[in-house]
CSV table of all heavy atoms in Angstrom, one decimal:
chain,number,residue,atom,x,y,z
A,9,LEU,N,97.7,78.6,27.6
A,9,LEU,CA,96.5,79.4,28.0
A,9,LEU,C,95.3,78.5,28.2
A,9,LEU,O,94.5,78.6,29.1
A,9,LEU,CB,96.2,80.4,27.0
A,9,LEU,CG,95.0,81.4,27.2
A,9,LEU,CD1,95.2,82.1,28.5
A,9,LEU,CD2,94.8,82.3,26.1
A,10,LEU,N,95.2,77.4,27.4
A,10,LEU,CA,94.2,76.5,27.5
A,10,LEU,C,94.3,75.7,28.8
A,10,LEU,O,93.3,75.5,29.5
A,10,LEU,CB,94.2,75.5,26.3
A,10,LEU,CG,93.2,74.3,26.3
A,10,LEU,CD1,91.8,74.9,26.2
A,10,LEU,CD2,93.4,73.4,25.2
A,11,ILE,N,95.5,75.3,29.2
A,11,ILE,CA,95.6,74.6,30.5
A,11,ILE,C,95.4,75.5,31.7
A,11,ILE,O,94.8,75.1,32.7
A,11,ILE,CB,97.0,73.9,30.5
A,11,ILE,CG1,97.2,72.9,29.4
A,11,ILE,CG2,97.3,73.3,31.9
A,11,ILE,CD1,96.2,71.8,29.5
A,12,LEU,N,95.9,76.7,31.6
A,12,LEU,CA,95.6,77.6,32.7
A,12,LEU,C,94.1,77.9,32.8
A,12,LEU,O,93.6,78.0,33.9
A,12,LEU,CB,96.4,78.9,32.4
A,12,LEU,CG,97.9,78.9,32.6
A,12,LEU,CD1,98.6,80.1,32.0
A,12,LEU,CD2,98.2,78.8,34.1
A,13,GLY,N,93.4,78.0,31.7
A,13,GLY,CA,92.0,78.2,31.7
A,13,GLY,C,91.3,77.0,32.3
A,13,GLY,O,90.3,77.1,33.1
A,14,PHE,N,91.8,75.8,32.0
A,14,PHE,CA,91.2,74.6,32.6
A,14,PHE,C,91.4,74.6,34.1
A,14,PHE,O,90.5,74.2,34.9
A,14,PHE,CB,91.8,73.3,32.0
A,14,PHE,CG,91.2,72.1,32.6
A,14,PHE,CD1,89.9,71.7,32.4
A,14,PHE,CD2,92.0,71.3,33.4
A,14,PHE,CE1,89.4,70.5,32.9
A,14,PHE,CE2,91.5,70.1,34.0
A,14,PHE,CZ,90.2,69.7,33.7
A,15,GLY,N,92.6,75.0,34.6
A,15,GLY,CA,92.9,75.1,36.0
A,15,GLY,C,91.9,76.0,36.7
A,15,GLY,O,91.4,75.8,37.8
A,16,HIS,N,91.7,77.2,36.0
A,16,HIS,CA,90.8,78.2,36.6
A,16,HIS,C,89.3,77.6,36.6
A,16,HIS,O,88.6,77.9,37.5
A,16,HIS,CB,90.8,79.4,35.7
A,16,HIS,CG,90.3,80.7,36.4
A,16,HIS,ND1,90.1,81.9,35.7
A,16,HIS,CD2,89.9,80.9,37.7
A,16,HIS,CE1,89.7,82.7,36.6
A,16,HIS,NE2,89.5,82.2,37.7
A,17,PHE,N,89.0,76.9,35.5
A,17,PHE,CA,87.6,76.3,35.4
A,17,PHE,C,87.4,75.4,36.6
A,17,PHE,O,86.4,75.4,37.3
A,17,PHE,CB,87.6,75.5,34.1
A,17,PHE,CG,86.3,74.7,34.0
A,17,PHE,CD1,85.2,75.2,33.4
A,17,PHE,CD2,86.3,73.3,34.4
A,17,PHE,CE1,84.0,74.4,33.3
A,17,PHE,CE2,85.2,72.5,34.3
A,17,PHE,CZ,84.0,73.1,33.7
A,18,VAL,N,88.4,74.5,36.9
A,18,VAL,CA,88.2,73.5,38.0
A,18,VAL,C,88.2,74.2,39.4
A,18,VAL,O,87.5,73.9,40.3
A,18,VAL,CB,89.3,72.4,37.9
A,18,VAL,CG1,89.3,71.5,39.1
A,18,VAL,CG2,89.2,71.6,36.6
A,19,ASN,N,89.2,75.1,39.5
A,19,ASN,CA,89.3,75.9,40.8
A,19,ASN,C,88.0,76.5,41.2
A,19,ASN,O,87.5,76.4,42.3
A,19,ASN,CB,90.4,76.9,40.6
A,19,ASN,CG,91.0,77.3,41.9
A,19,ASN,OD1,91.6,76.4,42.6
A,19,ASN,ND2,91.0,78.6,42.3
A,20,ASP,N,87.4,77.3,40.2
A,20,ASP,CA,86.2,78.0,40.5
A,20,ASP,C,84.9,77.1,40.6
A,20,ASP,O,83.9,77.5,41.2
A,20,ASP,CB,86.0,79.1,39.5
A,20,ASP,CG,87.0,80.3,39.8
A,20,ASP,OD1,87.9,80.1,40.6
A,20,ASP,OD2,86.8,81.4,39.2
A,21,LEU,N,84.9,76.0,39.8
A,21,LEU,CA,83.8,75.1,39.9
A,21,LEU,C,83.6,74.6,41.3
A,21,LEU,O,82.5,74.5,41.8
A,21,LEU,CB,84.1,73.9,39.0
A,21,LEU,CG,83.0,72.8,38.8
A,21,LEU,CD1,83.0,72.2,37.4
A,21,LEU,CD2,83.1,71.7,39.8
A,22,HIS,N,84.7,74.2,42.0
A,22,HIS,CA,84.6,73.7,43.4
A,22,HIS,C,84.1,74.9,44.3
A,22,HIS,O,83.3,74.6,45.2
A,22,HIS,CB,86.0,73.3,43.9
A,22,HIS,CG,86.3,71.9,43.4
A,22,HIS,ND1,87.1,71.7,42.3
A,22,HIS,CD2,86.0,70.7,43.9
A,22,HIS,CE1,87.3,70.4,42.1
A,22,HIS,NE2,86.6,69.8,43.1
A,23,THR,N,84.5,76.1,44.0
A,23,THR,CA,84.1,77.2,44.9
A,23,THR,C,82.6,77.4,44.9
A,23,THR,O,81.9,77.7,45.9
A,23,THR,CB,84.8,78.5,44.5
A,23,THR,OG1,86.2,78.2,44.5
A,23,THR,CG2,84.5,79.6,45.5
A,24,SER,N,82.0,77.3,43.7
A,24,SER,CA,80.5,77.6,43.5
A,24,SER,C,79.6,76.5,44.0
A,24,SER,O,78.4,76.7,44.1
A,24,SER,CB,80.2,78.0,42.1
A,24,SER,OG,80.3,76.8,41.2
A,79,PRO,N,94.5,74.3,42.6
A,79,PRO,CA,93.4,73.4,42.3
A,79,PRO,C,93.4,72.1,43.1
A,79,PRO,O,92.3,71.6,43.5
A,79,PRO,CB,93.5,73.2,40.8
A,79,PRO,CG,94.3,74.3,40.3
A,79,PRO,CD,95.3,74.6,41.4
A,109,ASN,N,92.2,77.9,46.8
A,109,ASN,CA,91.6,78.7,45.8
A,109,ASN,C,92.4,80.0,45.6
A,109,ASN,O,92.7,80.4,44.5
A,109,ASN,CB,90.1,79.0,46.1
A,109,ASN,CG,89.4,79.9,45.1
A,109,ASN,OD1,89.6,81.1,45.1
A,109,ASN,ND2,88.7,79.2,44.2
A,112,PHE,N,95.9,80.0,43.7
A,112,PHE,CA,95.9,79.8,42.2
A,112,PHE,C,95.7,81.1,41.5
A,112,PHE,O,96.4,81.4,40.5
A,112,PHE,CB,94.9,78.8,41.8
A,112,PHE,CG,94.7,78.7,40.3
A,112,PHE,CD1,95.6,78.0,39.5
A,112,PHE,CD2,93.7,79.4,39.6
A,112,PHE,CE1,95.5,77.9,38.1
A,112,PHE,CE2,93.6,79.4,38.2
A,112,PHE,CZ,94.5,78.6,37.5
A,113,HIS,N,94.7,82.0,41.9
A,113,HIS,CA,94.2,83.0,41.1
A,113,HIS,C,95.3,84.1,40.6
A,113,HIS,O,95.4,84.3,39.4
A,113,HIS,CB,93.1,83.7,41.8
A,113,HIS,CG,91.8,83.1,41.6
A,113,HIS,ND1,91.2,82.3,42.6
A,113,HIS,CD2,90.9,83.0,40.5
A,113,HIS,CE1,90.0,81.8,42.1
A,113,HIS,NE2,89.9,82.2,40.9
A,134,THR,N,89.9,85.4,28.2
A,134,THR,CA,89.8,83.9,28.0
A,134,THR,C,90.1,83.2,29.4
A,134,THR,O,89.3,82.3,29.7
A,134,THR,CB,90.9,83.4,27.0
A,134,THR,OG1,90.6,84.1,25.8
A,134,THR,CG2,90.7,81.9,26.8
A,135,PHE,N,91.1,83.6,30.1
A,135,PHE,CA,91.4,83.0,31.4
A,135,PHE,C,90.2,83.2,32.4
A,135,PHE,O,89.8,82.3,33.0
A,135,PHE,CB,92.7,83.6,31.9
A,135,PHE,CG,93.0,83.1,33.3
A,135,PHE,CD1,93.6,81.9,33.5
A,135,PHE,CD2,92.8,84.0,34.4
A,135,PHE,CE1,93.9,81.5,34.8
A,135,PHE,CE2,93.1,83.6,35.7
A,135,PHE,CZ,93.7,82.3,35.9
A,136,SER,N,89.8,84.4,32.4
A,136,SER,CA,88.7,84.8,33.4
A,136,SER,C,87.4,84.1,33.1
A,136,SER,O,86.7,83.5,34.0
A,136,SER,CB,88.5,86.3,33.4
A,136,SER,OG,87.5,86.7,34.3
A,137,SER,N,87.0,84.0,31.8
A,137,SER,CA,85.8,83.4,31.4
A,137,SER,C,85.8,81.9,31.7
A,137,SER,O,84.8,81.3,31.9
A,137,SER,CB,85.4,83.7,29.9
A,137,SER,OG,86.4,83.2,29.1
A,138,SER,N,87.0,81.3,31.6
A,138,SER,CA,87.1,79.9,31.9
A,138,SER,C,86.7,79.6,33.4
A,138,SER,O,86.0,78.7,33.7
A,138,SER,CB,88.5,79.4,31.7
A,138,SER,OG,88.9,79.5,30.3
A,139,GLY,N,87.2,80.5,34.3
A,139,GLY,CA,86.9,80.4,35.7
A,139,GLY,C,85.4,80.6,35.9
A,139,GLY,O,84.8,79.9,36.7
A,140,THR,N,84.9,81.6,35.2
A,140,THR,CA,83.5,81.9,35.4
A,140,THR,C,82.6,80.8,34.9
A,140,THR,O,81.5,80.5,35.4
A,140,THR,CB,83.1,83.2,34.7
A,140,THR,OG1,84.0,84.3,35.1
A,140,THR,CG2,81.7,83.7,35.1
A,141,LEU,N,83.0,80.2,33.8
A,141,LEU,CA,82.3,79.0,33.3
A,141,LEU,C,82.3,77.9,34.3
A,141,LEU,O,81.3,77.2,34.5
A,141,LEU,CB,83.0,78.5,32.0
A,141,LEU,CG,82.3,77.3,31.3
A,141,LEU,CD1,80.9,77.6,30.9
A,141,LEU,CD2,83.2,76.9,30.1
A,142,GLY,N,83.4,77.6,34.9
A,142,GLY,CA,83.5,76.6,36.0
A,142,GLY,C,82.6,77.0,37.1
A,142,GLY,O,81.9,76.1,37.7
A,143,PHE,N,82.6,78.2,37.5
A,143,PHE,CA,81.8,78.7,38.6
A,143,PHE,C,80.3,78.6,38.2
A,143,PHE,O,79.5,78.3,39.1
A,143,PHE,CB,82.1,80.2,38.9
A,143,PHE,CG,81.7,80.7,40.2
A,143,PHE,CD1,82.5,80.6,41.3
A,143,PHE,CD2,80.4,81.3,40.4
A,143,PHE,CE1,82.1,81.1,42.5
A,143,PHE,CE2,80.0,81.7,41.6
A,143,PHE,CZ,80.9,81.6,42.7
A,144,ALA,N,80.0,78.7,36.9
A,144,ALA,CA,78.6,78.6,36.5
A,144,ALA,C,78.1,77.2,36.5
A,144,ALA,O,77.0,76.9,36.9
A,144,ALA,CB,78.5,79.2,35.1
A,145,LEU,N,79.0,76.2,36.1
A,145,LEU,CA,78.6,74.8,36.1
A,145,LEU,C,78.6,74.1,37.4
A,145,LEU,O,78.0,73.1,37.6
A,145,LEU,CB,79.5,74.1,35.1
A,145,LEU,CG,79.3,74.5,33.6
A,145,LEU,CD1,80.3,73.7,32.7
A,145,LEU,CD2,77.9,74.3,33.1
A,146,GLY,N,79.3,74.7,38.4
A,146,GLY,CA,79.4,74.1,39.7
A,146,GLY,C,78.0,73.8,40.3
A,146,GLY,O,77.8,72.7,40.8
A,149,ILE,N,76.3,70.9,38.4
A,149,ILE,CA,76.9,69.6,38.6
A,149,ILE,C,76.7,69.1,40.0
A,149,ILE,O,76.3,67.9,40.3
A,149,ILE,CB,78.4,69.7,38.3
A,149,ILE,CG1,78.6,69.9,36.8
A,149,ILE,CG2,79.2,68.4,38.8
A,149,ILE,CD1,80.1,70.3,36.5
A,165,LEU,N,83.6,65.1,43.4
A,165,LEU,CA,84.2,66.1,42.6
A,165,LEU,C,85.7,66.2,42.8
A,165,LEU,O,86.5,66.8,42.0
A,165,LEU,CB,83.6,67.5,42.8
A,165,LEU,CG,82.3,67.8,42.2
A,165,LEU,CD1,81.8,69.2,42.6
A,165,LEU,CD2,82.4,67.7,40.7
A,168,LEU,N,88.8,66.0,40.1
A,168,LEU,CA,89.0,67.1,39.1
A,168,LEU,C,90.1,68.0,39.5
A,168,LEU,O,90.9,68.5,38.7
A,168,LEU,CB,87.7,67.9,39.0
A,168,LEU,CG,86.7,67.5,37.9
A,168,LEU,CD1,85.5,68.4,37.9
A,168,LEU,CD2,87.3,67.5,36.5
A,169,GLY,N,90.3,68.3,40.8
A,169,GLY,CA,91.3,69.2,41.3
A,169,GLY,C,92.7,68.6,41.1
A,169,GLY,O,93.6,69.3,40.7
A,171,LEU,N,93.5,66.3,38.7
A,171,LEU,CA,93.7,66.3,37.3
A,171,LEU,C,94.2,67.7,36.8
A,171,LEU,O,95.2,67.8,36.0
A,171,LEU,CB,92.4,65.9,36.5
A,171,LEU,CG,92.5,66.0,35.0
A,171,LEU,CD1,93.6,65.1,34.5
A,171,LEU,CD2,91.1,65.8,34.4
A,172,ALA,N,93.6,68.8,37.3
A,172,ALA,CA,94.0,70.1,36.9
A,172,ALA,C,95.5,70.4,37.4
A,172,ALA,O,96.3,70.9,36.6
A,172,ALA,CB,93.1,71.1,37.5
A,176,LEU,N,98.6,71.2,34.9
A,176,LEU,CA,99.4,72.5,35.1
A,176,LEU,C,100.9,72.2,35.3
A,176,LEU,O,101.7,72.9,34.9
A,176,LEU,CB,98.8,73.2,36.3
A,176,LEU,CG,97.5,73.9,36.1
A,176,LEU,CD1,96.8,74.3,37.4
A,176,LEU,CD2,97.6,75.2,35.2
A,254,LEU,N,76.6,81.2,33.8
A,254,LEU,CA,77.1,81.1,32.4
A,254,LEU,C,77.1,82.4,31.6
A,254,LEU,O,77.9,82.7,30.8
A,254,LEU,CB,76.2,80.0,31.7
A,254,LEU,CG,76.6,78.6,31.9
A,254,LEU,CD1,75.5,77.7,31.3
A,254,LEU,CD2,77.9,78.2,31.4
A,257,ALA,N,80.1,84.2,32.5
A,257,ALA,CA,81.2,83.7,31.7
A,257,ALA,C,81.3,84.3,30.3
A,257,ALA,O,82.4,84.7,29.9
A,257,ALA,CB,81.2,82.2,31.6
Side-chain angles (χ1 to χ4, degrees):
L9 183 58
L10 178 65
I11 296 301
L12 287 164
F14 179 70
H16 200 189
F17 173 89
V18 172
N19 204 60
D20 285 12
L21 184 149
H22 282 94
T23 307
S24 68
N109 181 279
F112 173 81
H113 276 105
T134 302
F135 174 79
S136 179
S137 61
S138 299
T140 311
L141 178 63
F143 201 89
L145 293 178
I149 293 172
L165 280 178
L168 273 178
L171 174 61
L176 287 164
L254 280 172

